Amino acid sequence: MVETPYYAALRDSVEAAYAAAPDRVSPGLEVCDCPVCMTEDVRQKIIGSPCRELTGWLIAEYSNSAHGVPSTLDDLAALLPRYLDLMAEGEATDSLGIGVELSRFGGAVAVSEGAFPPVRLRAAYHQWAELMLLHGGWLRARAPRGKGVGEDWLSAFYLFQAIAAGGVPAGVVTGALDSLFADPEVGKTAQVQFFSELGKAWDRKAFDLYALKQINESGRAALVEWLQRWLSSWELEELITDPGILGPPFWAEQVQAAITNRDALTPKGIAEEG
């Protein structure tokens, strides 16, 4: 992993999460036991390993198991730091690539009325979320000139969806992105990249913020309000006419598509699309 100005603090947040969580799941780990989702052999490998040692493949198997929020939230608490660790190192934690790898944790946040994650783990999780958005956005903004937006799941736009679906408060997510956009070194490029990915969905005529369907309407409303504020801002309009913008010309075209179609971006529209 290429280091960024945020990487050391990001690693500290991962270690804080490990310190606040159980180090193993329970023998009764709940998964979907159909052979398509997970075999008993794979389940036993997860149960038999310290969570810190679980491979990305085993974590992806858990992510893609078609079960909901388990009754034993301690198992989710045990697994959460490993997700944060792998994602911090640029490793995928599911095989779908649609931003839902943290959605089971978001489901637990929604149903546990503030009990999940436990207080110390929650603090580490929220700190990780802020730093992960800054780290990922910085990496993508510094990618070689002309590299296509969205090729790397570490993009700020992808993480925006995945982390919000993971039950992190909207204010943490949007505050981190505001900080990224204000970064004097990469902020302008990161901003154009982010809204270019939003606009690219319109170009495909398949606008679908799938991961955001996983959160409640009030959470979506806060995120949409933030998106609309930026899409209506003079800063964004001015930025895409600036000849000094780094990156390929289609970025500005895609940002303009997002601006032009902003009225269709609503909490209800996200929930019903697709």
Side-chain angles (χ1 to χ4, degrees), residues 6-24:
Y6 309 102
Y7 181 73
L10 179 65
R11 290 304 317 172
D12 287 345
S13 71
V14 170
E15 291 304 319
Y18 275 124
D23 63 354
R24 290 176 180 263

Side-chain angles (χ1 to χ4, degrees), residues 11-25 46 48-56 58-59 77-83 85-86 91:
R11 290 304 317 172
D12 287 345
S13 71
V14 170
E15 291 304 319
Y18 275 124
D23 63 354
R24 290 176 180 263
V25 299
I46 296 174
S49 303
C51 288
R52 189 186 284 263
E53 297 177 9
L54 292 173
T55 64
L58 286 173
I59 287 293
L79 289 166
L80 179 57
R82 189 56 178 156
Y83 277 79
D85 193 353
L86 290 167
E91 296 187 38

Side-chain angles (χ1 to χ4, degrees), residues 174 219-232 265 267:
T174 59
R220 286 197 304 275
L223 296 173
V224 166
E225 180 181 3
W226 178 84
L227 288 169
Q228 291 286 15
R229 175 171 62 81
W230 272 105
L231 289 171
S232 303
L265 181 60

